[in-house]
Amino acid sequence: MLAWYDVHARDLPWRAPPGAPFADPYRVWLSEIMLQQTNVATVRPKFEHFTARWPDFASLAAADEAELMTAWAGLGYYARARNLVACARTVVERHGGAFPGNEDELRALPGIGAYTAAAIASIAFGERAVVVDGNVERVVSRLFAIDEPLPGARAAIRAATDSITPETRAGDFAQAMMDLGSSICTPRNPKCLVCPLSDRCAAFAHGQPDAYPVKPARTARPERFGTIFWAERDGKVLLVRRPPRGLLGGMRALPTGPWSESPPGLADPPLTAGWRMLDTSVVHVFTHFRLQLSLAVARVREHSNAGEWWPVGDIESAGLPTVFAKAAAEVRRAT
DNA sequence: AAAGCGTGGAG
DNA sequence: TCTCCAAGCTT
C-alpha cells in the first residue's frame, strides 16, 4: 500500500508539502472535520476559504461565531462548525495553542471522535494509530471477506485493520487506504483489475467484492410539512437565528412554523401581518426526513425586532442553510 | 446505543 | 425520479 501510495497519492491542499514528513496539524484537523460525510470536491473550496480567513488555531479561536457559521453554510451537519470553534478555543486555553500529539487527548476534544483522533495522530504527528473510516471499512471488509453486517462488524474490521497497519508511516497507510477506497475499491463497480490488493483480497477471490460490507436494510424516510414565512419591508426580508442545538442549530434562517405530519398552514407566524400563501412549494430532503414547505408572504409596514431585516437582493450572502436558500429563491421566482 | 444530524453528486 | 453514498460525532 505504501509503494502504491508513493505513486498514486492524490494531490490535496491539506496534505504535507513535498519533502515535509508531516502535514500541518491545524490543516489536517480542519480538513478531517470538513470531510466527515462530505465529498472532497465539496470540501476543497470551503477549505481554501477557511484557511485564508482563519489560518491557525489562534485566529479560529478568536473568530466571530456568526461569521464562521455563515462561512460554513451549505456544508451541512452544522454541529461540526459549532464544535470547530469550541475545539479551537479549548486548544488555545488548555493546550497552549497547539494540538496534543496523542490519540487519547485528541479524542477528548469537541467534535473529534475515534476516527478523527486516529487520523490526526497518525497523519500529523507520525503516531501509529488504527484509522477506520468508511473507506477503510469497505476495503478491509472485502480484503478479509467479513460477512457480518454493519454495525456489528466494526470490531472485526478494526481488529483486521490493526493487523495490517504498519509500525511506521501509519498516516500514509491510512491515506493510501482512503485513496484506494475512493478511486478503486469503490462501493459499486470496484476496479479490481487495477487494485494493488486484488491478489490478497478474499472478496475478489470469491467473485463478489461489491457484496461487502454487508449493510442493514434502510428504513423509509418519513415526510413532514411546514411553512416558511417571508416578511418583506422596504426591500428587506426578516431573518431569524435558529436555536443553538438541533437541526440547523445556530444558523441564520427564514422564520418557520412547526414541522408536522400534515401542512400546518399559517400556524405560528413570526409577526402579525396579512399573510398570503403562494401556490408553489419547496421540497428538501434531510438525512432522516423529507420536508415539503409551503411559502407564506406578507408586506410589512411597521418595524419589528423579531429578527434581523436583510436586503433581499443580498440574500445569497446571508449564509442560509440550503433548505432556506431554496425557499428564498422560490419566493423570489414566484413573486 | 439507536437516533439525530445536511447536502450534492453519481448511477 | 429515486436510491445510495461521502475522510462520523454526539447524546
Side-chain angles (χ1 to χ4, degrees):
Chain A
M1 283 307 293
L2 292 172
W4 179 85
Y5 186 67
D6 288 338
V7 176
H8 297 283
R10 285 180 290 178
D11 184 18
L12 298 170
W14 43 85
R15 288 190 170 168
F22 304 119
D24 174 8
Y26 173 78
R27 294 167 66 87
V28 171
W29 163 68
L30 180 59
S31 71
E32 291 298 346
I33 301 299
M34 287 185 164
L35 286 162
Q36 288 168 9
Q37 306 290 287
T38 308
N39 294 310
V40 167
T42 304
V43 165
R44 205 186 273 265
K46 287 287 187 186
F47 179 83
E48 301 293 1
H49 178 245
F50 268 68
T51 50
R53 181 69 185 85
W54 300 289
D56 48 36
F57 284 114
S59 58
L60 194 61
D64 172 63
E65 269 194 70
E67 185 193 352
L68 188 133
M69 298 310 279
T70 297
W72 194 273
L75 258 193
Y77 285 139
Y78 298 99
R80 294 184 293 174
R82 304 194 297 267
N83 285 331
L84 208 61
V85 183
C87 183
R89 290 181 181 163
T90 304
V91 167
V92 166
E93 288 162 17
R94 298 224 286 266
H95 296 281
F99 262 148
N102 68 84
E103 208 175 335
D104 287 345
E105 284 184 271
L106 288 165
R107 175 72 181 79
L109 292 165
I112 298 186
Y115 159 75
T116 304
I120 296 172
S122 62
I123 296 170
F125 293 102
E127 297 282 303
R128 182 187 183 278
V130 181
V131 180
V132 184
D133 77 324
N135 289 300
V136 175
E137 218 164 66
R138 185 171 57 256
V139 173
V140 168
S141 66
R142 288 173 178 173
L143 199 51
F144 294 85
I146 296 171
D147 51 16
E148 183 185 358
L150 292 172
R154 298 236 155 89
I157 291 171
R158 191 199 146 79
T161 306
D162 195 354
S163 76
I164 60 173
T165 299
E167 292 302 318
T168 61
R169 295 188 67 190
D172 283 349
F173 175 77
Q175 294 178 94
M177 294 287 276
M178 294 190 277
D179 280 11
L180 186 80
S182 72
S183 63
I184 292 177
C185 194
T186 49
R188 286 166 291 191
N189 307 314
K191 301 165 184 61
C192 302
L193 296 185
V194 295
C195 180
L197 301 180
S198 62
D199 59 340
R200 277 171 279 186
C201 180
F204 179 64
H206 299 162
Q208 286 290 356
D210 54 2
Y212 303 87
V214 182
K215 301 206 167 177
R218 280 210 185 189
T219 58
R221 212 192 300 269
E223 176 135 30
R224 290 189 200 163
F225 299 86
T227 302
I228 293 272
F229 293 97
W230 180 275
E232 200 169 326
R233 163 180 162 271
D234 296 337
K236 298 177 179 179
V237 60
L238 179 65
L239 300 182
V240 297
R241 178 77 58 185
R242 291 182 60 86
R245 300 177 186 287
L247 188 69
L248 310 172
M251 298 301 288
R252 195 175 274 140
L254 287 164
T256 71
W259 295 356
S260 39
E261 317 281 306
S262 58
L266 295 175
D268 201 13
L271 46 77
T272 305
W275 293 105
R276 173 174 68 90
M277 282 291 206
L278 300 183
D279 36 356
T280 59
S281 62
V282 167
V283 171
H284 188 77
V285 181
F286 292 103
T287 308
H288 50 301
F289 65 96
R290 168 192 172 91
L291 180 64
Q292 185 165 330
L293 288 168
S294 302
L295 306 170
V297 300
R299 296 265 176 203
V300 183
R301 279 189 177 282
E302 65 278 16
H303 182 73
S304 160
N305 45 14
E308 49 182 335
W309 294 92
W310 197 273
V312 172
D314 199 26
I315 194 71
E316 283 80 11
S317 70
L320 295 177
T322 300
V323 58
F324 299 117
K326 276 159 77 171
E330 181 60 14
V331 170
R332 297 182 69 192
R333 188 199 64 77
T335 56

